[in-house]
Amino acid sequence: MSAHPALSAKRPILLIEDEPSVIAFLHAALERRGYAVVDAASGEEGLKRLSKGRYAGVISDIRMPGSVNGAEVHDWVQKNRPELKSRIILISGDTANSETQTFLAQSGTPCIEKPFRVQQLIATVEKTFGKP
Protein backbone atom coordinates (compact mmCIF):
# COMPACT_ATOMS: atom_id res chain seq x y z
CA MET A 1 0.00 0.00 0.00
CA SER A 2 2.04 2.97 -1.15
CA ALA A 3 1.00 6.44 -0.13
CA HIS A 4 0.55 9.14 -2.72
CA PRO A 5 3.63 11.45 -2.56
CA ALA A 6 1.51 14.47 -1.67
CA LEU A 7 -0.02 12.58 1.24
CA SER A 8 3.28 11.46 2.69
CA ALA A 9 3.85 15.06 3.77
CA LYS A 10 1.04 14.51 6.24
CA ARG A 11 2.78 11.63 7.97
CA PRO A 12 3.23 12.38 11.65
CA ILE A 13 6.49 12.67 13.52
CA LEU A 14 6.95 9.93 16.10
CA LEU A 15 8.03 11.40 19.41
CA ILE A 16 9.59 8.89 21.83
CA GLU A 17 10.11 10.45 25.24
CA ASP A 18 9.44 9.29 28.79
CA GLU A 19 9.05 12.66 30.53
CA PRO A 20 5.44 13.94 30.29
CA SER A 21 6.53 17.58 30.61
CA VAL A 22 8.98 17.22 27.70
CA ILE A 23 6.34 15.42 25.59
CA ALA A 24 3.84 18.23 26.24
CA PHE A 25 6.44 20.90 25.37
CA LEU A 26 7.59 19.18 22.16
CA HIS A 27 4.06 18.27 21.07
CA ALA A 28 2.83 21.85 21.45
CA ALA A 29 5.89 23.34 19.72
CA LEU A 30 5.69 20.98 16.74
CA GLU A 31 1.93 21.19 16.28
CA ARG A 32 2.08 25.00 16.39
CA ARG A 33 4.45 24.75 13.42
CA GLY A 34 2.05 22.52 11.49
CA TYR A 35 3.55 19.08 12.17
CA ALA A 36 1.39 16.13 13.16
CA VAL A 37 2.81 14.29 16.17
CA VAL A 38 2.31 10.81 17.63
CA ASP A 39 3.71 10.15 21.12
CA ALA A 40 5.30 7.05 22.56
CA ALA A 41 6.19 7.06 26.27
CA SER A 42 8.95 4.44 26.01
CA GLY A 43 11.38 2.90 23.57
CA GLU A 44 9.31 -0.29 23.50
CA GLU A 45 6.15 1.65 22.64
CA GLY A 46 8.09 3.60 20.03
CA LEU A 47 9.22 0.41 18.28
CA LYS A 48 5.66 -0.97 18.35
CA ARG A 49 4.39 2.20 16.69
CA LEU A 50 7.26 2.19 14.17
CA SER A 51 6.62 -1.39 13.18
CA LYS A 52 2.91 -0.67 12.51
CA GLY A 53 2.86 2.84 11.07
CA ARG A 54 4.56 5.21 8.66
CA TYR A 55 6.17 8.37 9.94
CA ALA A 56 7.77 11.51 8.56
CA GLY A 57 10.55 11.16 11.12
CA VAL A 58 11.46 10.12 14.64
CA ILE A 59 12.47 12.24 17.60
CA SER A 60 13.71 10.10 20.45
CA ASP A 61 15.26 10.67 23.82
CA ILE A 62 18.51 8.70 24.15
CA ARG A 63 18.14 7.76 27.80
CA MET A 64 14.84 6.19 28.77
CA PRO A 65 13.82 3.72 31.44
CA GLY A 66 12.91 0.25 30.21
CA SER A 67 14.62 -2.22 27.94
CA VAL A 68 14.82 -0.07 24.80
CA ASN A 69 16.80 3.19 24.72
CA GLY A 70 17.23 5.79 21.98
CA ALA A 71 20.34 4.11 20.58
CA GLU A 72 18.40 0.87 20.17
CA VAL A 73 15.50 2.70 18.52
CA HIS A 74 18.08 4.24 16.16
CA ASP A 75 19.58 0.81 15.36
CA TRP A 76 16.13 -0.71 14.75
CA VAL A 77 15.28 2.08 12.31
CA GLN A 78 18.57 1.56 10.42
CA LYS A 79 17.70 -2.11 9.90
CA ASN A 80 13.94 -2.00 9.48
CA ARG A 81 12.97 1.47 8.22
CA PRO A 82 15.75 2.54 5.86
CA GLU A 83 13.62 5.42 4.56
CA LEU A 84 13.86 6.97 8.06
CA LYS A 85 17.65 6.51 8.42
CA SER A 86 18.37 10.19 7.92
CA ARG A 87 15.14 11.28 9.59
CA ILE A 88 15.99 10.71 13.22
CA ILE A 89 16.70 13.39 15.80
CA LEU A 90 17.92 12.37 19.22
CA ILE A 91 17.41 14.29 22.45
CA SER A 92 19.95 13.98 25.22
CA GLY A 93 20.24 15.31 28.73
CA ASP A 94 23.68 13.80 29.15
CA THR A 95 25.88 14.37 26.13
CA ALA A 96 28.83 14.49 28.55
CA ASN A 97 28.35 10.74 28.98
CA SER A 98 31.12 9.04 27.00
CA GLU A 99 28.86 6.21 25.74
CA THR A 100 26.41 8.81 24.45
CA GLN A 101 29.21 10.83 22.83
CA THR A 102 30.63 7.74 21.11
CA PHE A 103 27.20 6.71 19.84
CA LEU A 104 26.43 10.19 18.48
CA ALA A 105 29.83 10.46 16.81
CA GLN A 106 29.41 7.06 15.13
CA SER A 107 25.80 7.52 14.09
CA GLY A 108 26.13 11.05 12.74
CA THR A 109 22.54 11.59 13.91
CA PRO A 110 21.52 15.13 14.87
CA CYS A 111 21.17 15.56 18.61
CA ILE A 112 19.44 18.28 20.58
CA GLU A 113 20.75 18.75 24.09
CA LYS A 114 18.40 19.36 26.99
CA PRO A 115 17.53 21.97 27.99
CA PHE A 116 16.81 23.35 24.53
CA ARG A 117 14.80 26.23 23.14
CA VAL A 118 11.83 25.78 20.81
CA GLN A 119 13.66 27.65 18.05
CA GLN A 120 16.58 25.23 18.21
CA LEU A 121 14.22 22.26 18.05
CA ILE A 122 12.23 23.63 15.11
CA ALA A 123 15.40 24.53 13.18
CA THR A 124 16.70 20.96 13.58
CA VAL A 125 13.33 19.43 12.70
CA GLU A 126 12.96 21.55 9.54
CA LYS A 127 16.51 20.75 8.46
CA THR A 128 16.10 17.00 9.12
CA PHE A 129 12.46 16.31 8.17
CA GLY A 130 11.62 19.26 5.94
CA LYS A 131 8.95 21.87 6.54
CA PRO A 132 5.38 20.67 7.18
Side-chain angles (χ1 to χ4, degrees):
M1 213 175 87
S2 70
H4 189 270
L7 295 175
S8 69
K10 280 289 162 215
R11 285 181 185 170
I13 292 169
L14 179 63
L15 173 60
I16 307 172
E17 166 62 66
D18 60 290
E19 291 177 55
S21 61
V22 179
I23 287 183
F25 170 76
L26 289 168
H27 211 119
L30 289 164
E31 289 195 327
R32 258 200 312 276
R33 291 309 276 257
Y35 292 98
V37 184
V38 173
D39 304 331
S42 68
E44 294 94 328
E45 190 186 331
L47 290 184
K48 270 197 202 102
R49 290 188 184 280
L50 274 168
S51 62
K52 291 197 179 88
R54 293 277 171 212
Y55 297 94
V58 179
I59 299 175
S60 177
D61 199 346
I62 293 181
R63 294 246 169 268
M64 291 179 283
S67 60
V68 179
N69 64 25
E72 287 159 327
V73 168
H74 179 273
D75 291 345
W76 188 93
V77 168
Q78 302 302 306
K79 292 185 189 87
N80 300 284
R81 284 280 180 276
E83 75 278 10
L84 291 176
K85 269 183 185 182
S86 61
R87 291 175 160 268
I88 304 177
I89 296 169
L90 295 167
I91 301 171
S92 176
D94 72 338
T95 46
N97 176 303
S98 61
E99 249 178 81
T100 303
Q101 281 179 335
T102 305
F103 167 71
L104 289 170
Q106 287 171 342
S107 69
T109 300
C111 179
I112 304 173
E113 289 185 54
K114 290 179 188 169
F116 50 82
R117 296 193 309 283
V118 169
Q119 219 25 64
Q120 187 191 358
L121 165 80
I122 296 299
T124 306
V125 166
E126 287 183 350
K127 200 171 82 189
T128 310
F129 303 158
K131 294 192 166 148

